[in-house]
Amino acid sequence: MKHAAHKAAKVSQGKEQREGASRRLFALEHGTHTAKAALVQTPSGTMAVEIDQALAARINEVAPLTRRAMRESARAAERRSHIIASTSLAALVGTAATAMAFAKPADSALAATDAPTTTTQLKRVSTNEAASRSQDREPLSGADAQTSSATQTSSNEGNWQLGDSSGSLDVNSMSRSTANNPAVAALMDGDHDALPAGFDPNHATGDSGNAYEFSQCTWWVYVRRHQLGLPAGSHMGNGNMWGNSARALGYWVDHQARHTGDIMVFAAGQDGADAAYGHVAIIEKINPDGSVETSECGSVMDGKTYSKTYSAQQVAQHDIIHY
């Protein structure tokens, strides 16, 4: 009995050793089964023999997980998820910061130093409230204080005045003419009501330079008109031809002296003019009685001028070229 009991004890001890070896083969390592060896029975006893990696992997797949292994696997998966999320967020923030830095670095610095913006709530002012509390302001005039009951806002009716009376705007002094020549434009403003219908202030002037013989009456008229800033044709013919030539170009021609610089045309032999070529003169002054004073020149004057006076009745018999 003793020997049998002793043998049974040895058998039981050998069985525990084999089971312990088996448990060690399938011991948890980081929450998973990791079978790396197999038990082999030899004459001298049981020993662990390393097995092929593929076979070990297959054993690990089919071996059931313990509750602890499942908990460890869940924790490991959660840690991996947190690491991936943290890495993705860090990469996104870094990309955004880099883009802002390369886009407009100066704007980023300015934005950081901008003062906070204050929003003001506007309040409608009723007609009974004063727009200003200043004691230095004068009360509004009756025209300025008129209000509209529909909109409850102050009326904009009233008179605008300059502080200096000498700086008031004279509408009558503003040019109403479309003439390109400023001298002509100024004269046309005074003649606005007398201008012929359809008159074109920018008509052809026929001016290409003084083509008249020195000291002739035509030469002097061309010179004097340019001194006054007024146009004159270069090839208008003899003195007695100037009226018709001016009309053909679009000049305003009638029988009334109107301004200094008007051209007085003499027909052949008229008022002492040359019997063959006629004459032209510049009106320098218009007297209250309608008579005029002229400046004239002739071939015998060697470029010098002289003056004559003609009555209003005489003037009315001549063509007068204006502009």
Side-chain angles (χ1 to χ4, degrees), residues 42-317:
T42 63
S44 59
T46 302
M47 63 178 296
V49 179
E50 185 175 355
I51 62 177
D52 183 70
Q53 293 183 356
L55 179 58
R58 181 59 182 168
I59 294 173
N60 290 331
E61 289 178 0
V62 299
L65 293 176
T66 63
R67 292 183 178 180
R68 179 181 178 184
M70 285 188 272
R71 288 196 299 271
E72 292 294 335
S73 296
R75 292 194 188 102
E78 185 178 359
R79 284 195 296 271
R80 285 195 299 271
S81 177
H82 285 313
I83 293 173
I84 293 173
S86 301
T87 305
S88 301
L89 179 60
L92 181 61
V93 173
T95 303
T98 304
M100 292 177 63
F102 279 99
K104 286 186 178 180
D107 291 349
S108 300
L110 291 175
T113 58
D114 282 346
T117 302
T118 301
T119 303
T120 303
Q121 180 69 33
L122 298 179
K123 177 184 178 183
R124 175 174 289 182
V125 180
S126 66
T127 57
N128 297 327
E129 295 184 50
S132 173
R133 302 301 182 186
S134 174
Q135 299 298 326
D136 297 332
R137 296 182 180 273
E138 297 180 359
L140 296 175
S141 63
D144 293 331
Q146 294 179 355
T147 59
S148 172
S149 59
T151 58
Q152 295 186 354
T153 55
S154 299
S155 172
N156 61 354
E157 297 179 1
N159 297 324
W160 288 93
Q161 295 182 353
L162 298 176
D164 184 4
S165 60
S166 63
S168 60
L169 181 62
D170 183 7
V171 178
N172 294 327
S173 66
M174 299 176 64
S175 176
R176 293 173 289 178
S177 170
T178 58
N180 295 331
N181 185 319
V184 172
L187 295 177
M188 285 183 63
D189 286 340
D191 298 333
H192 185 267
D193 296 332
L195 286 171
F199 174 71
D200 180 11
N202 300 313
H203 61 78
T205 62
D207 190 352
S208 60
N210 195 341
Y212 304 104
E213 186 178 349
F214 173 74
S215 196
Q216 294 288 344
C217 62
T218 51
W219 170 84
W220 166 247
V221 167
Y222 182 94
V223 171
R224 182 60 176 149
R225 289 276 289 190
H226 276 256
Q227 290 177 353
L228 298 172
L230 297 171
S234 302
H235 304 281
M236 299 180 73
N238 298 323
N240 61 346
M241 301 169 62
W242 275 52
N244 291 334
S245 298
R247 288 187 181 92
L249 289 169
Y251 285 83
W252 180 22
V253 182
D254 61 8
H255 302 286
Q256 181 178 346
R258 299 179 183 277
H259 308 287
T260 297
D262 285 350
I263 302 172
M264 187 172 177
V265 181
F266 295 75
Q270 185 181 17
D271 290 335
D274 185 269
Y277 304 111
H279 184 60
V280 286
I282 291 290
I283 295 176
E284 298 287 350
K285 183 179 179 182
I286 302 175
N287 298 316
D289 60 357
S291 63
V292 300
E293 299 176 16
T294 64
S295 65
E296 306 176 30
C297 191
S299 58
V300 297
M301 298 300 297
D302 195 24
K304 296 179 181 179
T305 61
Y306 61 93
S307 179
K308 292 182 67 174
T309 301
Y310 299 90
S311 67
Q313 291 77 13
Q314 289 176 303
V315 172
Q317 302 302 316

Side-chain angles (χ1 to χ4, degrees), residues 3-47:
H3 293 288
H6 181 70
K7 185 177 181 180
K10 288 183 178 181
V11 172
S12 177
Q13 184 179 4
K15 182 179 180 181
E16 290 178 357
Q17 288 177 353
R18 289 194 300 272
E19 291 178 354
S22 299
R23 286 194 296 271
R24 285 194 298 273
L25 287 174
F26 291 95
L28 288 177
E29 183 176 314
H30 302 294
T32 60
H33 292 298
T34 55
K36 299 180 180 179
L39 292 177
V40 178
Q41 185 68 37
T42 63
S44 59
T46 302
M47 63 178 296

